[in-house]
Amino acid sequence: MMDATKFYINGKWVTPDGSQRLEVINPSDEKGFSTITLGTQADTDNAVSAAKKALPAWAASTKEQRIELLERLFETYKARAEEMAQTISQEMGAPIDLARSAQVGAGAAHLKNTIRALKSFNFEHPLGDHAPDNIILHEPVGVCALITPWNWPMNQVMLKVAPALAAGCTIVLKPSEISPLSAMLLTEMIDSAGFPEGVFNLVNGDGAGVGSQLSKHPDIDLVSFTGSTRAGKAITLAAADTMKRVGLELGGKGANIIFADADEKAVTRGVRHCFANSGQSCNAPTRMLVEKSVYKQAVETAAMIASKTDVGQAGTEGRHIGPVVSEQQFVKVQALIKQGIEEGATLVAGGEGRPEGFDKGYFVKPTVFSDVAPGMTIWSEEIFGPVLVITPFETEEEAIELANDTLYGLTNYIQTSDKDRARRLARQVRSGMVEVNGKSGSAGFPFGGMKQSGNGSREGGVWGLEEFLEVKSVTDW
């Protein structure tokens, strides 16, 4: 493992100016196992300066040169996949099998899909047959600050780093201080792949420190952030003075609408999806809306699946869920479970406290509430733990109204054998993504939301590239 106290600036691992240290905690045993340094303004300035200096040459590089380097990175990433899986499992508590398949696999898939999109992307083309001498150029937006969360480290880092590099931008990455080591491991891979000095830089820090410094830095041209809606608002305000572009992928409170004609596995699939990654996914289907005629059976099934969901140590192989990421997250989830009980929701599985057999670690009981009414805190607030809320509906119109009764708009889910109804609802629910009958998005599927789940930005495939490009129109070419 690299010296986690260092930063990567201008193609070198450097000793930062800052002296404030932070322990990285293993959420399975609550013990520190590594230490990082929190960056100062001087550290941030050094990284931004390096990225700014490297920008002209990198922006002028050819598509073929960038493809070659990204493909080299892809091979290195695959070769060190097990090392990455172990790192993610230890730093944020993902069960090792999940870390190997989904956590590490997501990073590989996004890098591969970015390379595919880059190969086919046309950076220069005429406006149209009617104006062949009017040329549209797609140029890198400039120096980009990438601020990423702890819950899907390589998924979110690669969704930003790969397209930013592919577009010809230079980067300062600030990973979450809770799960920074996977990003530092990726930095080693980027270094070994041979990217030019200053093109990619990494500075560790928290949101109030390095995150804020990057958001308002005059030499940053774009901030791409994934995390809480609260933090997204703060970044937007900080970036306003310099009029930099801001891309936000924020929270969610997805509705999973289950009609009586849904397939027999719809409820089971929805519960497991909600609990995946210990419920720590912004696009999780955390509100299950069930047609009244099958509501009772759905509640019973959900309670049964929750009771059979194993909880275990992150380092143990198997199909269990691990801990939530931190003490702060554990306390928050416990408080919301308690509040759900106090506000009158019916607890049908799980509840407060750690699961039986655990006296340490940030483990949460897989929890299901039924009869959850709009207005209850657990109906509206993103819990970010293995907690599912269920409520009935009678008509299609009521289902749409309930689904849209949220500040968020990231992903909604529809379960029905009636294809026409699925299409009607998909058009009426207010979210950036809709998944129907358990089918996930394919390679290059644009990820992002509306309302308070984001500001219209999309990540993945060609949309991911466009996030990091400016459009320039030129006449008389």
Side-chain angles (χ1 to χ4, degrees), residues 48 51 141-149 156-166 169-176 183 186 190 199-205 210-211 214-215 220-227 235 244-247 459 464 467-468:
V48 173
V141 68
V143 179
C144 299
L146 311 181
I147 303 174
T148 58
Q156 297 305 140
V157 167
M158 201 67 85
L159 270 174
K160 300 180 190 299
V161 168
L165 291 174
C169 294
T170 55
I171 294 168
V172 180
L173 172 65
K174 189 208 85 66
S176 169
L186 177 66
I190 290 171
V199 167
F200 175 90
N201 306 273
L202 177 143
V203 178
N204 280 316
V210 175
L214 288 169
S215 299
I220 292 290
D221 299 297
L222 177 149
V223 179
S224 179
F225 170 77
T226 298
I235 287 171
K244 58 174 56 67
R245 277 172 53 180
V246 177
E459 296 181 315
E467 277 288 294
F468 294 97

Side-chain angles (χ1 to χ4, degrees), residues 58-59 404:
W58 183 243
N404 290 336

Side-chain angles (χ1 to χ4, degrees), residues 163-219:
L165 291 174
C169 294
T170 55
I171 294 168
V172 180
L173 172 65
K174 189 208 85 66
S176 169
E177 68 275 20
I178 296 174
S179 60
L181 303 181
S182 52
M184 298 185 78
L185 180 58
L186 177 66
T187 302
E188 285 190 350
M189 300 179 197
I190 290 171
D191 181 64
S192 67
F195 284 82
E197 293 179 358
V199 167
F200 175 90
N201 306 273
L202 177 143
V203 178
N204 280 316
D206 57 18
V210 175
S212 178
Q213 293 159 15
L214 288 169
S215 299
K216 61 189 178 184
H217 201 290
D219 290 333

Side-chain angles (χ1 to χ4, degrees), residues 284-360:
T286 52
R287 294 183 300 145
M288 184 177 285
L289 315 181
V290 184
E291 192 167 2
K292 197 167 187 179
S293 62
V294 293
Y295 178 71
K296 181 180 178 182
Q297 180 59 53
V299 172
E300 292 174 355
T301 299
M304 178 192 68
I305 296 301
S307 68
K308 291 183 177 181
T309 300
D310 293 329
V311 179
Q313 299 286 333
T316 303
E317 296 187 349
R319 294 186 61 187
H320 55 278
I321 66 172
V324 295
V325 75
S326 65
E327 181 181 11
Q328 180 181 6
Q329 192 65 21
F330 178 81
V331 170
K332 175 192 173 186
V333 173
Q334 294 297 322
L336 285 166
I337 292 172
K338 181 180 181 181
Q339 195 163 359
I341 296 170
E342 291 174 346
E343 291 183 0
T346 303
L347 181 68
V348 297
E352 295 180 78
R354 291 181 174 87
E356 185 177 349
F358 292 90
D359 58 1
K360 63 179 178 179

Side-chain angles (χ1 to χ4, degrees), residues 270-289:
V271 177
R272 288 177 174 163
H273 192 171
C274 176
F275 291 166
N277 204 42
S278 302
Q280 299 171 126
S281 300
C282 53
N283 63 335
T286 52
R287 294 183 300 145
M288 184 177 285
L289 315 181

